[in-house]
C-alpha cells in the first residue's frame, strides 16, 4: 500500500502543468497596434484658396441677354469638350467687343444657376474699384494655356502642386467661395492676388488693366 502511494506521488510530481489556453490576438500585438494608431498624425487640411477651381478660359462669344439688361451671355472655352455658357453682369462696365477673344479667369466649380431663363455654369472674375464704378476683367498672359489651372504663389517661386479642388456640391455646402472671395484683391501693380499670393498661370501672373488695390469678384 505504501509502495502504491509513493508511485502515485511520483507520477503526479512528474506530470507538467499545462498553461490555460487563451484566445484572440496576443496582448503584445494589440499594444503595438494601439501605439501605431495613436502615433498616426491627422492629415492637415489644404489651404482654402486651393479648393477653388480657377481656369484659363477664352471668350469665344459675348452678347446681351435678351431678358436681362445688365447681363452678357458668354461662351467660354475652358478646355472641356464644349464651351461653358456663363452670364455676367458686365453690361454697365464694358462692351461685348471688350470681352470677346480675351483670356479670362473662370471659376469652374460652381453649380449651374438659372439667370433670367439662361443656365449659367461658372463665373468670370473681374476687378472693381472701391466705389464699384469701374470694373475690369482679370486677364491672363497671351501665352497661358486654355484650360490650365491657375495657382497662387510667390512670383519668385516655382508653381507648386495644389490640392484637388472641391466639387460643386462641396463648394456650396462648405461655402468655400465665400471664404476665399473677401481676401481676393489686386496689388499696387494691378496683379490679382489672394492675400499676398499672386494669382499665376504657367506664362505669368493674372492682371487687370488699371485697377490697383481693388477687390475681385
Amino acid at each position: 500500500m505504501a509502495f502504491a502511494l509513493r508511485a502515485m506521488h511520483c507520477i503526479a510530481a512528474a506530470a507538467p502543468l499545462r498553461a490555460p489556453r487563451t484566445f484572440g490576438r496576443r496582448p503584445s500585438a494589440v499594444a503595438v497596434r494601439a501605439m501605431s494608431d495613436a502615433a498616426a498624425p491627422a492629415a492637415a487640411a489644404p489651404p482654402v484658396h486651393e479648393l477653388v477651381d480657377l481656369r484659363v478660359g477664352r471668350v469665344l462669344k459675348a452678347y446681351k441677354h435678351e431678358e436681362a439688361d445688365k447681363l452678357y451671355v458668354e461662351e467660354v472655352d475652358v478646355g472641356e469638350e464644349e464651351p461653358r455658357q456663363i452670364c455676367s453682369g458686365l453690361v454697365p462696365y464694358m462692351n461685348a467687343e471688350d470681352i470677346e477673344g480675351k483670356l479670362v479667369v473662370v471659376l469652374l466649380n460652381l453649380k449651374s444657376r438659372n439667370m433670367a431663363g439662361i443656365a449659367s455654369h461658372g463665373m468670370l472674375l473681374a476687378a472693381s474699384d472701391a466705389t464699384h464704378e469701374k470694373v475690369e476683367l482679370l486677364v491672363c498672359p497671351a501665352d497661358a494655356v486654355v484650360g490650365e489651372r491657375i495657382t497662387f504663389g510667390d512670383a519668385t517661386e516655382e508653381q507648386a502642386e495644389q490640392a484637388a479642388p472641391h466639387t460643386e456640391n462641396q463648394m456650396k455646402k462648405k461655402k468655400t467661395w465665400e471664404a476665399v472671395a473677401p481676401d481676393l484683391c489686386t496689388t499696387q501693380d494691378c496683379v490679382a492676388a489672394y492675400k499676398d499670393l499672386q494669382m499665376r498661370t504657367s506664362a505669368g501672373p493674372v492682371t487687370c488693366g488699371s485697377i490697383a488695390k481693388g477687390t475681385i469678384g
Side-chain angles (χ1 to χ4, degrees):
M1 182 69 176
F3 177 79
L5 289 174
R6 283 199 299 272
M8 291 177 64
H9 177 74
C10 291
I11 293 172
L17 295 175
R18 291 186 179 182
R21 294 183 64 188
T22 58
F23 298 92
R25 289 182 294 180
R26 290 174 297 173
S28 59
V30 175
V32 170
R33 176 63 181 274
M35 290 174 63
S36 175
D37 291 345
V48 67
H49 63 273
E50 293 189 6
L51 302 177
V52 295
D53 195 1
L54 299 178
R55 303 278 174 165
V56 177
R58 185 180 298 279
V59 181
L60 305 176
K61 187 177 181 181
Y63 55 93
K64 286 187 176 180
H65 194 304
E66 294 182 356
E67 303 297 331
D69 294 340
K70 295 183 178 181
L71 294 181
Y72 283 122
V73 181
E74 299 103 4
E75 295 177 9
V76 188
D77 179 7
V78 291
E80 298 174 331
E81 291 186 4
E82 298 291 336
R84 290 257 182 150
Q85 180 174 262
I86 298 174
C87 295
S88 302
L90 298 173
V91 172
Y93 308 106
M94 59 192 75
N95 298 319
E97 292 77 14
D98 299 325
I99 302 173
E100 287 186 351
K102 288 287 194 303
L103 279 177
V104 296
V105 177
V106 184
L107 176 58
L108 285 194
N109 52 343
L110 291 178
K111 283 196 167 187
S112 181
R113 296 174 53 199
N114 186 307
M115 300 187 73
I118 291 182
S120 177
H121 196 189
M123 183 169 73
L124 304 189
L125 296 194
S128 170
D129 65 5
T131 63
H132 203 63
E133 293 178 356
K134 186 176 184 180
V135 173
E136 297 173 346
L137 283 172
L138 297 187
V139 292
C140 303
D143 293 334
V145 180
V146 168
E148 73 168 285
R149 191 174 177 197
I150 293 169
T151 61
F152 294 91
D154 190 288
T156 62
E157 298 177 352
E158 292 186 7
Q159 287 181 293
E161 185 176 347
Q162 293 193 104
H166 270 171
T167 65
E168 293 177 1
N169 284 333
Q170 287 174 318
M171 286 282 285
K172 182 177 181 180
K173 181 178 180 180
K174 298 180 181 294
K175 299 186 182 298
T176 312
W177 177 243
E178 289 82 351
V180 173
D183 290 312
L184 292 174
C185 60
T186 58
T187 68
Q188 187 62 45
D189 298 321
C190 301
V191 174
Y194 171 78
K195 297 183 178 179
D196 58 348
L197 300 175
Q198 288 188 0
M199 193 181 292
R200 299 184 61 78
T201 72
S202 60
V206 173
T207 61
C208 67
S210 62
I211 298 175
K213 300 292 185 180
T215 57
I216 291 175

